Amino acid sequence: MTVPLYQAKAEFFRTLGHPVRIQVLELLQNGPLPVRDLLAEIDIEASSLSQQLAVLRKAGIVTATRESGSVVYALSAPDVAGLLASARWILTEVLAGQGELLAELRAEAGRESGTPARRGGAKVRQELRAL
């Protein structure tokens, strides 16, 4: 029985849904890397990295080859790097929109700070600044 496309896509995105896996994919955008180089860049135990690499390999997102006694990983397709670039662009747009909303909230809080009925406004402004 075949899996519906939407279900396959959901599984694909679940596979990408781990910070270490994303970090590995971002490192591999610049070309294949041996496990030792991945370990040097990612603050994780070797066994945990191996587990995350196995998930990516099983999903077909990365490939592994043995070279001179070490395992070298690479993106299985250049489109994976394109997907990561698209994610960065989308996040940039989302965060820019949130920044505009935050600026509006800060301006509104500034206008309302003199209103006696707005007790606790200083605390709200402090929380907004922390964002």
Side-chain angles (χ1 to χ4, degrees), residues 5-43:
L5 182 57
Y6 64 86
Q7 189 173 345
K9 286 179 182 179
E11 185 59 34
F12 174 77
F13 283 110
R14 270 192 296 275
T15 299
L16 297 179
H18 193 285
V20 170
R21 293 182 210 142
I22 295 296
Q23 196 172 5
V24 165
L25 296 175
E26 287 176 346
L27 290 169
L28 294 177
Q29 287 181 101
N30 299 321
L33 290 172
V35 173
R36 70 176 173 277
D37 290 358
L38 293 170
L39 274 171
E41 293 290 329
I42 302 172
D43 186 28

Side-chain angles (χ1 to χ4, degrees), residues 101-120:
L101 177 60
L102 181 59
E104 287 179 36
L105 288 170
R106 284 182 173 157
E108 185 177 303
R111 287 190 302 272
E112 294 175 351
S113 64
T115 308
R118 301 298 279 166
R119 292 184 188 154

Side-chain angles (χ1 to χ4, degrees), residues 51-75:
Q51 184 180 29
Q52 300 306 326
L53 288 167
V55 171
L56 291 170
R57 196 173 55 247
K58 181 180 177 190
I61 299 171
V62 299
T63 60
T65 55
R66 189 166 287 280
E67 294 179 12
S68 304
S70 65
V71 179
V72 176
Y73 281 87
L75 297 178

